[in-house]
Amino acid sequence: MDARLLYQLLIAEMALNAGDAAGAFELILDAATRQRDDALFKRAADIALRERAGDRALEAARAWRNANPDSMEALRLQLQVLLLLNRPEALSEPLTALIEKTPAADRPALINALPRFMQRASKPRLVAAMIEDALRPYRDADGTRIPARVATARAWLEAKDIERAMAQARDAIQADPSATGPAFLALELMSAAPTAEQLVQDYLARPSADASVRLGYVRLLTGKRRYADAVAQLQIATQNQPELAPPYLSLGALQLELKHPQEGEAALMRYVELVQRQAAKAPAPGAASAPGAASAPSTDTESAVETAEDAEGDTVGTADQGLVQAWLMLAQSTEQRGDYKAAEQWLAKIDDPQRVLEVQTRRASILVRQGQLGQARELIRSVPERRASDGRAKLVAEAAVLREAQKWKEAYDVLGKANTRFTDDADLLYEQAMMAEKTDKLDEMETLLKRVMSLQPKGPNAFNALGYSLADRRQRLPEARSLIQQALELAPGDPFITDSLGWAEFRLGNHDAALEHLRNAYAKRPDPEIAAHLGEVLWAAGQRDEARRIWREGKVRDAANDVLRETLARLRVDL
C-alpha cells in the first residue's frame, strides 16, 4: 500500500463516517479499479448495498468483473444486484458466465440451486426461458444431464407453465429412470399436475427406488387424506428395508387413524424397538425431547408422518421426537381399547417438560373414560403456563376432554372463553362452531364459520362444515352444494369433502352423482361415517346387500361411530 492509496482510503472512510456514502463509494471504487483489488471492490459494493444504492452496487460489480474477469465472487454479486434491482432481462450474460466458469465438479450443485436463487426475479416466464437457454449446453454432458432438465422444469413450474414443466420432468426421467432428482420433481408437480403422480409411481415401482422419495410420497398422500394409499406405500417400504425405523412410525400413525389398532400398535412397537436398538449402539447424551412440539399434538397423523420423514436422517433430535410420538400414540391406542394400565406405562416413559400438556391430556382422557370428568379438567388446568401459547393449548385440551365426554355445552363455553382471550384465531372459532352445532345453536354456528371463511379464505374446512350442515338438515341445498364444491376446489380429492358433496347430491335427489362421489370417497378413506352415507344411498337405491356389507365394514372399524349408529337406528337395520 503506497501513500496515495492509504490517503485515499482514509479520506473515503472519513467521508463515510461523516455521512457522505456517495463520496466514499467513488473514492474506494477508484482505488479498487487502479489496484485491481478484490477486497476493495467488495468494500465499494458493501457501501452501496448498505445505502440501498443498487445502481452503484451494480457499477461496482461490473467494474470488478472488468478488472478481474475470472472472479466468481464478482459474477455472483452482479447477479444478486440485478435480482435486487428487478432487472431480469439483464441476467442472461452473467448467468451463462457463472455456469461456464463454475468448476465441473461443482456445476451440478449450482444448476440444482438456480431455480431457487432466481425465484426473486419478476417475469418468471422470461427467467424460465433464460435458464432453459443457459442450461442447453449442459443437457448432454456427464454430471449435468439430469440437473439441467430438473432445474429447467422447476423454473417453468415457478412460471406456472405446467405443461412445459411436465415435459421437462418426463424428459429427465427418460434420460435416467433411476435418478432421484426427477422423482422429487414429480412430487413437487403433483399439486399442480395430477398426472405427475404416475411418474412418481413408476419410479417407486423400481426395486432400487430411494426410500426418501417413498416417504415424501407418503407425506403428500397423508396431506390429501389418502391414508389407505399411504399405508400401502409404507408397507412396501417396511418390506424393502425392514431395519429402517421411520416408515414404521408413519405406518403406525396411519393404521391407528384407519381404526386398525392391532396393526398400528405392532408398527409403533417395531419403531420403538429399532430406535432404541440404534440408541444402544450409539448412545447420545440427553433425554428424549421434541423442541417446539408442544404446539402440535404428537398423536396427529400428519405430524407423525412429517417426523418420520425428517427422522430418516437419523439425527438424535428427530429420533427422540419420534419416540415421544410413538409412546403417546401407543398410550392413546391402549387407552381406547380399555387397557388403562398399559396406557399409563407408555406415558410414564415421557420425561420432557415440553410435552407435559400432551401427557396430562392423555391422562385426562383416561380419567374421562373412567367417569372422572372433574379430575380430568383439573389435571389439565394444573399444568403451568410458561408461554402465552400454553394458555391457548390448555383451553383446547380442556375442550377436547369435554368433547370426548360429550359435554357439548361445556366445551362450547370453554372455546368461547378461548376466543375471548385469543381473538381472531380461526382454529378456535372453527372448533366453537362445531360445538355450537352440537348444542343446536345453528345461527351461531353459521356466524362463526363465516368468520373463519373471512380469516382463512383458502381454508376448506369451514366451507365444507357449513355446506355439510346445511345439506344434512335439508336446508338451502343448492347453496350447500356450492359451499362444498368451493371446499373441494381448495382441497382437491379430500375424501371427507367428497363425502359431503355426495351427501349433498343425495339430499338434492341426484342419486347417481351421490353414489359416484361416495364410492370415490370410501375407496380413498373407508371411514365409518362415509360408510354410513354410502350405505344409506345404496339402501335407497335398492342395493341393500351391498349397503349391509359397507355398514358391516364401518361397524368393524368403529362400532361406536355416532353417524353410523344413528343411520342404522333410523333405517331400522339390524346387522
Side-chain angles (χ1 to χ4, degrees):
M1 182 181 293
D2 58 22
R4 179 184 174 187
L5 178 59
L6 175 61
Y7 177 76
Q8 191 169 357
L9 294 181
L10 284 172
I11 294 298
E13 294 299 334
M14 290 171 64
L16 184 62
N17 288 334
D20 183 8
F25 170 82
E26 293 295 342
L27 286 167
I28 292 180
L29 181 59
D30 177 69
T33 303
R34 284 190 299 101
Q35 297 291 322
R36 296 180 178 271
D37 186 282
D38 289 352
L40 290 177
F41 279 117
K42 189 174 187 302
R43 177 62 175 152
D46 287 343
I47 291 172
L49 289 171
R50 187 184 305 168
E51 295 298 315
R52 299 181 182 275
D55 287 332
R56 289 196 192 114
L58 184 58
E59 180 186 353
R62 285 172 173 162
W64 190 355
R65 282 193 64 194
N66 287 333
N68 187 354
D70 294 325
S71 172
M72 298 293 289
E73 195 171 3
L75 258 175
R76 284 192 289 268
L77 174 64
Q78 185 178 0
L79 279 168
Q80 290 167 346
V81 173
L82 286 169
L83 285 169
L84 288 171
L85 291 173
N86 195 19
R87 297 182 187 173
E89 64 282 350
L91 290 168
S92 180
E93 186 276 327
L95 175 63
T96 302
L98 179 65
I99 300 170
E100 181 182 339
K101 291 178 182 298
T102 298
D106 299 331
R107 196 172 287 144
L110 170 70
I111 291 173
N112 281 324
L114 282 179
R116 185 172 64 252
F117 177 70
M118 304 286 273
Q119 270 181 336
R120 291 175 293 179
S122 63
K123 301 180 182 179
R125 292 187 65 83
L126 172 66
V127 170
M130 189 183 302
I131 288 177
E132 182 171 13
D133 187 58
L135 294 179
R136 191 166 283 113
Y138 306 97
R139 290 175 66 86
D140 297 319
D142 291 341
T144 58
R145 182 178 294 107
I146 301 305
R149 287 166 168 79
V150 170
T152 302
R154 286 203 171 98
W156 284 117
L157 178 60
E158 182 68 23
K160 295 183 169 48
D161 192 328
I162 307 305
E163 185 177 344
R164 289 191 180 185
M166 280 294 295
Q168 292 290 333
R170 292 191 185 98
D171 191 22
I173 289 171
Q174 187 176 359
D176 185 356
S178 66
T180 58
F184 280 115
L185 170 64
L187 287 174
E188 293 175 42
L189 283 164
M190 273 180 57
S191 59
T195 54
E197 184 169 4
Q198 187 59 53
L199 303 180
V200 177
Q201 292 174 346
D202 290 345
Y203 170 81
L204 292 174
R206 300 179 63 84
S208 59
D210 191 286
S212 59
V213 176
R214 197 177 301 277
L215 286 180
Y217 185 39
V218 166
R219 186 171 183 171
L220 281 175
L221 292 172
T222 304
K224 295 174 181 292
R225 296 188 182 182
R226 291 171 52 186
Y227 295 154
D229 293 337
V231 164
Q233 290 298 322
L234 287 166
Q235 287 171 334
I236 294 171
T238 55
Q239 289 166 8
N240 290 346
Q241 294 178 278
E243 299 300 310
L244 184 64
Y248 288 100
L249 179 63
S250 299
L251 182 58
L254 290 167
Q255 292 285 26
L256 293 181
E257 183 70 26
L258 289 170
K259 309 296 183 185
H260 301 155
Q262 186 174 351
E263 294 88 342
E265 288 182 31
L268 292 171
M269 291 284 288
R270 177 64 174 160
Y271 173 80
V272 170
E273 176 193 350
L274 289 171
V275 170
Q276 290 182 332
R277 186 191 303 169
Q278 291 169 358
K281 289 179 181 177
S289 63
S295 61
S298 61
T299 52
D300 179 78
T301 304
E302 291 184 27
S303 176
V305 170
E306 289 173 9
T307 300
E309 188 178 3
D310 293 341
E312 198 184 12
D314 290 331
T315 62
V316 173
T318 50
D320 288 346
Q321 183 179 2
L323 264 182
V324 172
Q325 288 189 307
W327 288 333
L328 279 163
M329 286 188 286
L330 284 163
Q332 183 178 22
S333 183
T334 50
E335 169 208 326
Q336 288 175 348
R337 57 182 173 82
D339 191 346
Y340 305 136
K341 182 178 179 181
E344 178 53 45
Q345 287 174 342
W346 290 118
L347 293 174
K349 292 178 178 293
I350 304 170
D351 181 19
D352 180 1
Q354 301 296 324
R355 310 302 287 259
V356 169
L357 180 58
E358 290 172 83
V359 173
Q360 296 299 66
T361 300
R362 289 263 55 84
R363 289 190 171 120
S365 179
I366 294 172
L367 289 171
V368 168
R369 289 176 181 270
Q370 295 175 318
Q372 302 176 49
L373 179 59
Q375 294 94 316
R377 296 181 74 177
E378 185 55 38
L379 190 63
I380 291 172
R381 290 173 177 172
S382 66
V383 175
E385 296 182 21
R386 296 182 176 87
R387 303 177 298 271
S389 59
D390 292 342
R392 178 190 182 280
K394 284 173 61 176
L395 290 166
V396 170
E398 186 177 356
V401 165
L402 290 164
R403 190 166 57 243
E404 186 173 353
Q406 297 190 345
K407 299 294 184 181
W408 315 124
K409 183 183 181 304
E410 290 89 338
Y412 173 85
D413 291 340
V414 168
L415 288 165
K417 180 180 177 182
N419 279 313
T420 300
R421 183 174 171 185
F422 303 95
T423 57
D424 289 339
D425 187 311
D427 292 335
L428 292 176
L429 289 165
Y430 178 83
E431 292 298 329
Q432 189 180 15
M434 296 300 94
M435 293 303 98
E437 182 182 34
K438 291 287 188 181
T439 55
D440 290 326
K441 298 178 180 179
L442 301 179
D443 291 342
E444 176 71 5
M445 175 203 70
E446 186 166 344
T447 299
L448 289 166
L449 288 177
K450 286 183 175 177
R451 178 62 182 151
V452 175
M453 292 175 198
S454 67
L455 291 169
Q456 291 184 336
K458 293 187 178 180
N461 291 341
F463 292 94
N464 179 56
L466 181 54
Y468 175 80
S469 180
L470 291 171
D472 198 44
R473 289 181 278 120
R474 295 184 171 86
Q475 295 180 358
R476 294 149 50 194
L477 290 174
E479 180 185 349
R481 177 170 58 186
S482 177
L483 285 165
I484 296 167
Q485 287 171 334
Q486 283 182 263
L488 203 55
E489 288 174 6
L490 293 167
D494 186 296
F496 288 111
I497 302 176
T498 305
D499 166 67
S500 298
L501 184 57
W503 196 237
E505 294 288 7
F506 178 58
R507 293 302 202 202
L508 283 161
N510 304 324
H511 288 198
D512 290 343
L515 270 178
E516 181 182 353
H517 291 309
L518 289 168
R519 286 188 191 278
N520 183 16
Y522 190 69
K524 291 181 179 177
R525 180 72 188 273
D527 183 82
E529 186 165 333
I530 300 176
H533 292 152
L534 176 56
E536 182 162 349
V537 176
L538 289 166
W539 189 267
Q543 302 177 45
R544 300 201 166 186
D545 288 343
E546 187 178 0
R548 288 178 182 276
R549 178 182 64 80
I550 296 294
W551 283 330
R552 286 193 193 99
E553 290 175 0
K555 195 171 182 180
V556 167
R557 289 186 173 88
D558 186 3
N561 182 271
D562 290 337
V563 176
L564 181 57
R565 291 171 62 185
E566 184 277 329
T567 300
L568 296 175
R570 175 167 43 81
L571 296 177
R572 298 180 182 178
V573 176
D574 185 5
L575 299 179

